[in-house]
């Protein structure tokens, strides 16, 4: 047998060997998963198909996606309206770099976003994920003052906030479970508590002190709901006053709407609950309905104008190769068309009412410390203490999956944020799975 034939035989044997392994076994060979301690949790569940609100594994088991795959697939998995729009786009223009070129999907998306974003938003900058949207927003704020000869080095952020995993985004985040090894390398950030109805004055005083004693560039926040903190809510009236205070001190404000955006809080954007609108808004996740990695950093005309100059160096020299990817823009345009369609609006209202009814049912349960809901977000704090990724959290997660429901507790907080297209029966199955957990905790 010659060397070429021997090599072909070895390749065939290798292929046959791979084919004999299931996806989970093959996964272990080379993959490193996010938010995973692989020594403690080596098994990953292979998902081979998804449709509507349901995930299917390689053995044919079904799982209701009760969190819309991290709040992205709000119009359902493989929504034909969106997949067809992307298919049409990829047959016309697949990709072109966005420096020196433009294209119709990006232009149309900018027009449609500006039409539904708060009125002060005028310019759209493209990125490729939530963290990079935040990164761009922070850099815009820092350079805004630099371009004016006003060097500022401090950000203001909420305690227990989460804004992503790149360094600027990590700096703004306040969850040590993510930031621990990197604390010595982060930007300067001063933190304040979220405002509650009975703490607004105290938080305002703390903010006033920070503004007077630091050179502050921006206040960055998740409006109304802190997602990774455990779907913790805070006061719209209080946040309004904090933004107003920042404006009085000429400090920019950045709203992280990556989780809250596109209808989840009951309005198109959580910022719609505010009288004082943020200067910069960051969007991702449901922007493309989970179909494509794309994000937006929008800003006011005042922010944009600070970068207009005869000096090239005052431009915003920040770029991503896949900025304004035509396929992502096509997915986002299709999603916006669905957002306030009669069918989706009806489902959004149904889920909101169903959550409210379920919250009333379980709020006095012996295992429940607190239950809250806003829009399609439902959160239940259990009367137990556990680490964010501790053994109890793993136990609850496995229990839900055995019930055929994908819910990922955050510490002692169980939350549901289902796709808008979830059926009445599927939503009840989510509630039934939660009821079951309340009886065994």
């Amino acid at each position: 047998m010659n060397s070429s034939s021997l090599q072909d035989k070895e390749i065939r044997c290798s292929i046959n060997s791979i084919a004999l392994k299931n996806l989970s076994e093959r996964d272990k060979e080379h993959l490193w998963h996010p938010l995973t301690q692989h020594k403690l949790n080596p098994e990953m569940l292979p998902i081979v198909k998804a449709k509507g609100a349901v995930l299917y594994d390689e053995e044919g088991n079904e799982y209701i996606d009760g969190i819309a795959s991290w709040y992205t697939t709000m119009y359902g998995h493989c929504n034909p309206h969106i997949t067809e729009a992307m298919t049409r786009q990829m047959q016309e223009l697949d990709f072109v770099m966005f420096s020196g070129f433009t294209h119709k999907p990006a232009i149309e998306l900018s027009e449609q976003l500006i039409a539904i974003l708060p009125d002060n938003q005028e310019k759209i900058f493209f990125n490729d994920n939530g963290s990079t949207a935040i990164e761009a927003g922070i850099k815009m704020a820092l350079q805004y003052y630099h371009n004016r000869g006003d060097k500022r080095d401090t950000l203001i952020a909420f305690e227990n906030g989460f804004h992503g995993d790149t360094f600027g985004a990590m700096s703004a985040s306040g969850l040590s479970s993510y930031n621990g090894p990197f604390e010595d390398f982060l930007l300067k950030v001063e933190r304040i508590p979220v405002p509650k109805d009975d703490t607004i004055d105290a938080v305002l005083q703390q903010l006033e002190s920070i503004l007077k004693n630091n050179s502050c560039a921006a206040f960055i926040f998740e409006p109304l709901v802190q997602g990774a903190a455990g779907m913790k809510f805070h006061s719209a009236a209080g946040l309004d006053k904090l933004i107003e205070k920042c404006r009085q001190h000429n400090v920019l404000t950045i709203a992280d709407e990556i989780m809250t955006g596109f209808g989840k809080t009951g309005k198109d954007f959580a910022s719609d609950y505010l009288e004082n609108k943020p200067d910069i808004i960051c969007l991702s996740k449901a922007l493309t309905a989970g179909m494509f990695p794309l994000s937006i950093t929008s800003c006011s005309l005042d922010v944009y104008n600070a970068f207009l100059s005869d000096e090239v160096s005052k431009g915003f020299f920040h770029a991503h190769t896949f900025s304004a990817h035509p396929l992502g823009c096509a997915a986002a345009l299709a999603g916006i068309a669905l957002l306030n369609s009669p069918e989706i609006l009806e489902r959004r209202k149904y889920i909101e009412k169903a959550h409210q009814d379920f919250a009333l049912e379980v709020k006095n349960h012996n295992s429940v410390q607190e239950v809250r809901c806003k829009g399609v977000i439902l959160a239940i704090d259990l009367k137990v203490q556990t680490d964010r990724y501790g053994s109890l959290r793993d136990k609850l997660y496995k229990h839900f999956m055995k019930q055929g429901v994908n819910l990922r507790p955050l510490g002692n907080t169980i939350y549901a944020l289902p796709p808008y297209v979830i059926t009445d029966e599927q939503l009840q199955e989510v509630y039934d799975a939660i009821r079951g957990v309340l009886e065994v905790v």
Side-chain angles (χ1 to χ4, degrees):
M1 181 179 294
N2 60 40
S3 60
S4 178
S5 297
L6 181 60
Q7 187 178 28
D8 288 345
K9 183 177 180 180
E10 289 174 349
I11 291 173
R12 287 196 301 272
C13 288
S14 177
I15 292 173
N16 290 336
S17 175
I18 292 173
L20 291 173
K21 297 179 181 179
N22 62 28
L23 292 177
S24 183
E25 292 171 329
R26 290 166 61 187
D27 174 278
K28 294 176 189 176
E29 295 290 333
H30 304 294
L31 292 179
W32 189 345
H33 289 264
L35 302 180
T36 300
Q37 174 47 266
H38 279 268
K39 189 170 184 179
L40 300 177
N41 296 286
E43 298 294 332
M44 299 294 130
L45 178 65
I47 298 298
V48 298
K49 186 175 70 170
K51 187 67 178 175
V54 180
L55 307 170
Y56 301 84
D57 69 18
E58 63 180 340
E59 295 180 357
N61 298 311
E62 299 181 11
Y63 307 89
I64 298 169
D65 194 354
I67 59 170
S69 288
W70 275 340
Y71 348 123
T72 60
T73 58
M74 298 310 297
Y75 313 106
H77 292 275
C78 299
N79 184 296
H81 176 73
I82 300 173
T83 57
E84 288 166 9
M86 294 179 71
T87 299
R88 289 192 300 271
Q89 182 58 52
M90 72 174 63
Q91 293 170 342
E92 183 173 323
L93 173 63
D94 53 352
F95 175 69
V96 64
M97 63 184 185
F98 208 57
S99 180
F101 295 98
T102 191
H103 50 77
K104 184 178 177 182
I107 294 167
E108 289 187 347
L109 179 54
S110 71
E111 292 167 344
Q112 295 201 23
L113 281 171
I114 293 300
I116 62 174
L117 281 165
D119 290 344
N120 69 330
Q121 299 298 290
E122 290 288 348
K123 293 292 182 176
I124 298 293
F125 188 88
F126 284 96
N127 317 279
D128 54 13
N129 64 65
S131 294
T132 58
I134 297 295
E135 208 78 11
I138 290 173
K139 289 177 69 175
M140 283 179 185
L142 293 172
Q143 190 177 343
Y144 172 89
Y145 294 102
H146 175 85
N147 283 359
R148 297 180 171 201
D150 181 4
K151 184 177 179 180
R152 302 196 181 192
D153 63 358
T154 304
L155 301 176
I156 305 165
F158 282 141
E159 297 170 354
N160 299 317
F162 179 76
H163 300 284
D165 295 316
T166 51
F167 268 83
M170 267 198 305
S171 298
S173 301
L175 294 172
S176 60
S177 54
Y178 298 104
N179 294 0
F182 314 105
E183 293 287 354
D184 293 339
F185 308 99
L186 304 180
L187 299 172
K188 182 182 176 184
V189 178
E190 294 290 335
R191 302 197 185 281
I192 57 176
V194 296
K196 303 285 187 177
D197 289 337
D198 58 346
T199 65
I200 292 173
D201 291 341
V203 177
L204 274 171
Q205 289 178 7
Q206 188 172 340
L207 175 61
E208 179 76 32
S209 176
I210 290 170
L211 290 166
K212 286 182 177 179
N213 293 295
N214 295 273
S215 184
C216 298
F219 167 38
I220 182 170
F221 53 88
E222 298 163 272
L224 306 193
V225 185
Q226 290 184 295
M231 298 299 167
K232 298 293 192 286
F233 298 173
H234 55 270
S235 163
L239 181 56
D240 243 331
K241 291 182 178 180
L242 297 180
I243 296 172
E244 183 179 16
K245 178 69 68 175
C246 287
R247 191 154 291 153
Q248 291 169 0
H249 286 260
N250 189 31
V251 170
L252 295 177
T253 53
I254 305 172
D256 177 352
E257 293 250 20
I258 290 161
M259 189 279 287
T260 53
F262 300 99
K264 300 187 194 80
T265 62
K267 296 190 178 185
D268 287 350
F269 302 99
S271 297
D272 291 336
Y273 288 92
L274 304 173
E275 293 294 326
N276 294 300
K277 305 303 182 184
D279 301 292
I280 297 169
I281 297 177
C282 302
L283 304 171
S284 190
K285 291 190 182 290
L287 169 67
T288 62
M291 291 285 190
F292 202 90
L294 188 74
S295 66
I296 294 292
T297 306
S298 70
C299 69
S300 67
L301 201 58
D302 175 62
V303 171
Y304 175 78
N305 284 342
F307 293 79
L308 297 180
S309 173
D310 291 329
E311 299 177 47
V312 173
S313 62
K314 288 189 175 181
F316 191 47
F317 277 74
H318 177 97
H320 298 277
T321 299
F322 296 109
S323 292
H325 199 295
L327 300 188
C329 291
L333 285 165
I336 291 173
L338 292 173
L339 177 62
N340 288 308
S341 65
E343 296 81 6
I344 294 298
L345 274 176
E346 180 183 345
R347 294 309 301 166
R348 286 166 57 183
K349 291 175 181 176
Y350 176 86
I351 295 168
E352 182 173 14
K353 178 62 165 59
H355 281 353
Q356 292 168 353
D357 291 343
F358 184 68
L360 286 173
E361 174 193 333
V362 302
K363 70 175 185 177
N364 295 320
H365 193 284
N366 291 335
S367 298
V368 173
Q369 177 178 317
E370 180 183 283
V371 58
R372 55 194 173 275
C373 48
K374 189 170 190 65
V376 299
I377 303 169
L378 168 72
I380 300 171
D381 296 338
L382 303 176
K383 289 181 181 177
V384 293
Q385 295 299 318
T386 180
D387 293 336
R388 184 177 186 81
Y389 293 106
S391 58
L392 176 60
R393 180 265 175 201
D394 290 342
K395 177 183 175 182
L396 295 178
Y397 172 69
K398 290 174 182 176
H399 175 90
F400 286 129
M401 291 299 286
K402 285 180 181 178
Q403 303 304 309
V405 176
N406 175 34
L407 295 176
R408 291 174 59 92
L410 295 165
N412 71 330
T413 301
I414 297 169
Y415 76 94
L417 204 169
Y420 300 139
V421 300
I422 193 169
T423 66
D424 299 4
E425 294 76 13
Q426 289 167 343
L427 188 56
Q428 288 305 315
E429 288 187 52
V430 173
Y431 296 152
D432 285 343
I434 296 174
R435 289 186 184 101
V437 159
L438 297 182
E439 299 305 321
V440 298
V441 172

